[in-house]
């Protein structure tokens, strides 16, 4: 009985640490957008410069993701995840200091850690939960979007309550990362120092056409997501809503993604083909973009719900496909590194491009129309990525 209780406690601690780590994968980014106008005024940034903060972070998500397989082979996935949590906390504390260079540097440091953790998480699912990939992918993704929803909803109220300003609130976001690191520490200490010592799977991954379908899906759905994460509050501010209302709308669309991202992997993973789910998610994203474009202040909550379902499902499906297709954790990590690294480089163009288009055109019409075109291409990529029978090594 005592041994069974000990095993149950370890399992509960593993799941809790995994979930809390996932909660820290978006607040560093999502917590910026409700404060973006204040940050731009304080630091003296243009709209393009404000969008560049998110762009820098998303570029780091792409550029530094390939570090993960190297770290996993040397110290193991569990210790790699612990290191990522500690670096996130350091980056958040740093960017709260004075000056634009420190703002960008701290953001880049936090995003580098997020990049490593992003790539690690599907491999951790495959390693620790091989018989529950669908469920734990849903738990992981729902925690990611819950963290984004909480950050976007709470940063403005916390700022008003504490009087710390955007710098102090940004630094406070480091606290959950430190708590997650403390909870994950026992798992990291038990983990093997070299968790992925088999043959390097990058050659097979890079030769597979499936890899590039998944990469396109990951990148394009991320681009449309980060555009809204960076600029949605500003769009609503310019449409006449108050700052707290704009922040709540962003929080709503992220909150809707929590339930969607938990349910969709469980349902989609039961089928050989994920194509119907990928197509449905893309169509809902189109409808959400159309609502923001054509009638932003008319039932805005409805557009946020539709957009949240579409974007949450798209993100969850991309990560589910990454976890399902390869045969082992090393292959999952390799595919995750390629898809997320290249994908986030694609996504990094979004916030900067939208800020530039807004600055040049004087309205949000042109940027949102471009966003609709991107979702159209996402639908094509999703059709190919979601088809059955596409294991990495069996692909031509």
């Amino acid at each position: 009985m005592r041994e069974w209780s000990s095993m149950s406690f370890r399992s509960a601690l593993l799941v809790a640490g995994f979930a809390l780590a996932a909660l820290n994968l978006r607040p560093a980014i999502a917590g910026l957008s409700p404060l973006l106008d204040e940050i731009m005024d304080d630091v003296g940034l243009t709209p393009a410069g404000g969008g560049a903060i998110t762009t820098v972070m998303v570029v780091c998500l792409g550029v530094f993701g390939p570090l993960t397989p190297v770290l996993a082979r040397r110290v193991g996935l569990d210790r790699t995840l612990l290191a990522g949590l500690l670096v996130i906390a350091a980056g958040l504390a740093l960017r709260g200091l004075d000056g634009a260079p420190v703002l960008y540097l701290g953001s880049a440091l936090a995003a580098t850690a997020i990049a490593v953790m992003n790539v690690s998480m599907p491999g951790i699912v495959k390693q620790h939960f091989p018989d529950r990939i669908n469920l734990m992918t849903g738990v992981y993704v729902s925690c990611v979007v819950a963290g984004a929803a909480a950050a976007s909803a709470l940063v403005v109220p916390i700022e008003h309550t504490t009087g710390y300003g955007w710098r102090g609130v940004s630094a406070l976001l480091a606290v959950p990362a430190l708590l997650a690191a403390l909870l994950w520490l026992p798992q990291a200490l038990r983990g093997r120092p070299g968790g992925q010592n088999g043959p390097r799977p990058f050659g097979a991954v890079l030769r597979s056409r499936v890899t590039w379908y998944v990469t396109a899906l990951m990148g394009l759905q991320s681009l449309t997501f980060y555009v809204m994460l960076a600029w949605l509050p500003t769009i609503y501010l310019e449409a006449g809503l108050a700052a707290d209302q704009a922040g709540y709308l962003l929080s709503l669309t992220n909150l809707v993604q929590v339930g969607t991202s938990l349910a969709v992997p469980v349902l989609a993973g039961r089928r050989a083909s994920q194509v119907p789910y990928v197509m449905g998610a893309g169509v809902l994203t189109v409808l959400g973009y159309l609502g923001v474009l054509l009638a932003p202040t008319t039932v805005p909550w409805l557009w946020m719900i539709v957009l949240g379902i579409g974007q949450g499902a798209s993100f969850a499906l991309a990560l589910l496909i990454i976890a399902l297709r390869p045969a082992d954790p090393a292959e999952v990590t390799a595919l995750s590194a390629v898809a997320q690294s290249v994908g986030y480089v694609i996504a990094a163009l979004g916030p900067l491009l939208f800020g530039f288009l807004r600055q040049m055109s004087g309205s949000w019409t042109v940027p949102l129309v471009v966003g609709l075109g991107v979702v159209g291409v996402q639908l094509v990529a999703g059709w190919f990525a979601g088809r059955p029978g596409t294991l990495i090594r069996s692909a031509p």
Side-chain angles (χ1 to χ4, degrees):
M1 177 68 68
R2 184 175 300 174
E3 182 180 353
W4 183 85
S5 298
S6 177
M7 290 178 61
S8 298
F9 176 76
R10 287 199 300 269
S11 297
L13 188 64
L14 171 63
V15 172
F18 174 76
L20 189 54
L23 281 169
N24 281 276
L25 288 175
R26 291 299 179 270
I29 304 172
L32 276 176
S33 54
L35 303 172
L36 190 56
D37 275 5
E38 181 184 346
I39 293 170
M40 289 191 297
D41 289 341
D42 183 28
V43 183
L45 300 176
T46 65
I53 303 172
T54 302
T55 296
V56 165
M57 298 191 76
V58 180
V59 166
C60 290
L61 296 186
V63 171
F64 294 105
L67 291 175
T68 308
V70 177
L71 292 172
R73 291 178 64 84
R74 289 181 177 273
V75 302
L77 281 169
D78 295 335
R79 296 179 184 182
T80 297
L81 188 65
L82 176 65
L85 289 166
L86 295 174
V87 176
I88 285 177
L92 288 169
L94 178 62
R95 81 175 182 191
L97 302 179
D98 192 27
V102 175
L103 170 63
Y104 285 106
L105 179 61
S107 297
L109 187 63
T112 299
I114 293 170
V116 170
M117 291 175 64
N118 277 341
V119 175
S120 298
M121 294 298 266
I124 287 176
V125 170
K126 195 84 166 185
Q127 176 174 294
H128 289 292
F129 312 104
D131 299 323
R132 293 178 288 170
I133 289 176
N134 300 352
L135 174 61
M136 296 311 297
T137 297
V139 169
Y140 149 47
V141 181
S142 64
C143 286
V144 171
V145 297
S152 60
L154 296 177
V155 288
V156 172
I158 289 174
E159 181 187 26
H160 292 165
T161 300
T162 63
Y164 287 162
W166 73 264
R167 299 180 191 278
V169 172
S170 179
L172 284 175
L173 293 175
V175 174
L178 292 174
L179 291 175
L182 182 63
L183 193 58
W184 190 254
L185 181 61
Q187 184 62 39
L189 293 177
R190 284 195 300 268
R192 291 172 294 173
Q196 297 188 16
N197 291 322
R200 293 171 173 81
F202 270 107
V205 167
L206 291 173
R207 287 192 299 271
S208 171
R209 288 183 296 187
V210 178
T211 296
W212 303 108
Y213 300 148
V214 175
T215 297
L217 173 62
M218 187 73 200
L220 295 172
Q221 66 82 26
S222 294
L223 187 151
T224 59
F225 171 79
Y226 282 108
V227 159
M228 287 300 184
L229 194 64
W231 289 116
L232 189 65
T234 304
I235 292 172
Y236 276 115
L237 281 173
E238 294 189 12
L241 296 185
D244 56 348
Q245 290 178 292
Y248 289 141
L249 285 170
L250 178 62
S251 177
L252 174 61
T253 191
N254 284 323
L255 188 61
V256 169
Q257 293 181 43
V258 177
T260 302
S261 56
L262 180 60
V264 168
V266 175
L267 297 173
R270 295 172 180 171
R271 302 185 57 167
S273 172
Q274 285 77 50
V275 169
Y277 292 91
V278 175
M279 294 295 102
V283 169
L284 289 172
T285 303
V286 167
L287 294 176
Y289 262 74
L290 282 172
V292 175
L293 171 63
L294 300 176
T297 58
T298 303
V299 290
W301 55 270
L302 177 60
W303 310 136
M304 294 303 95
I305 291 173
V306 171
L307 185 67
I309 294 173
Q311 293 191 320
S314 296
F315 180 46
L317 288 164
L319 291 172
L320 176 66
I321 291 169
I322 288 173
L324 286 177
R325 297 298 184 256
D328 56 54
E331 283 190 348
V332 172
T333 304
L335 176 59
S336 181
V338 174
Q340 297 202 54
S341 298
V342 178
Y344 281 125
V345 170
I346 295 171
L349 300 174
L352 183 62
L353 176 62
F354 265 50
F356 176 76
L357 290 175
R358 167 63 183 85
Q359 192 170 322
M360 297 300 294
S361 68
S363 76
W364 290 104
T365 300
V366 172
L368 289 170
V369 169
V370 170
L372 285 167
V374 171
V375 182
V377 181
Q378 173 189 323
L379 283 166
V380 176
W383 176 273
F384 289 103
R387 292 181 304 175
T390 52
L391 294 174
I392 293 299
R393 285 179 177 168
S394 65

